[in-house]
Amino acid sequence: DVVAKFLGEQNVPIMEIVWARLFFGMVMTAPLVWKMDGARSLIPQRPVVHTIRAIFLVAATALFFWALKFQGIAETLAIFFVQPLVITMLSPLVLGEKVGMRRWLAVAVGFMGTLIIIRPGFQGLNPGVFMALLLPALPLFAYAEERMFRSGAEDWSPRRRALKIVQ
């Protein structure tokens, strides 16, 4: 994130920074996937669904890096870390899940903590704030899509989940 902020401030195009991050992430994880499951594991079983998820995640990464051009890393990350809270809030509507009272309380406390970090006010509004505010929505759609279309056809072992987190 520090490198992305530095490059953004040097006027390197955001999509080049996104490409570099995703490319080097792939270079680092592809050999692990190849070693564990062979070449077949590098070919998605549902290419359309995989492409939709990739588009959302590329867009979220681009918005994150664009937000870093206009504001500090701490503020941008604080807004980005609202993502699990937004996912929890929308999960009853999007995924049809039940959210218990303890989770609602955790969401409320999480939002209060985020507000303490970002100190909202009209003095600090810039394009980065708006880009960062869009951040939680895009991964939400990617994760919701993944949950809705997940089936027994794919291997969701702990090993596979760990690799997914690294990617």
Side-chain angles (χ1 to χ4, degrees), residues 16 27 29 48 50 57 76 94 97 110 117 123-124 130 145 162:
E16 285 184 25
V27 166
T29 58
V48 173
H50 185 75
L57 294 177
T76 305
V94 176
E97 294 183 346
I117 293 170
Q123 297 113 345
F130 296 111
E145 169 270 327

Side-chain angles (χ1 to χ4, degrees), residues 27-124:
V27 166
M28 292 168 52
T29 58
L32 296 171
V33 173
W34 183 291
K35 183 176 182 188
M36 288 179 5
D37 296 323
R40 70 171 176 79
S41 64
L42 298 176
I43 301 169
Q45 293 176 353
R46 292 187 227 127
V48 173
V49 173
H50 185 75
T51 301
I52 292 168
R53 181 173 52 223
I55 289 168
F56 283 127
L57 294 177
V58 167
T61 305
L63 286 173
F64 181 77
F65 288 164
W66 193 20
L68 286 176
K69 283 181 69 169
F70 297 101
Q71 60 189 28
I73 293 173
E75 293 84 4
T76 305
L77 281 172
I79 295 170
F80 181 72
F81 287 142
V82 169
Q83 171 185 322
L85 306 175
V86 173
I87 290 172
T88 302
M89 287 174 43
L90 294 177
S91 66
L93 300 172
V94 176
L95 301 173
E97 294 183 346
K98 184 178 185 289
V99 178
M101 182 55 91
R102 281 187 260 166
R103 287 211 174 111
W104 285 118
L105 288 172
V107 166
V109 170
F111 270 120
M112 286 188 284
T114 302
L115 290 175
I116 290 169
I117 293 170
I118 61 175
R119 300 173 311 277
F122 289 108
Q123 297 113 345

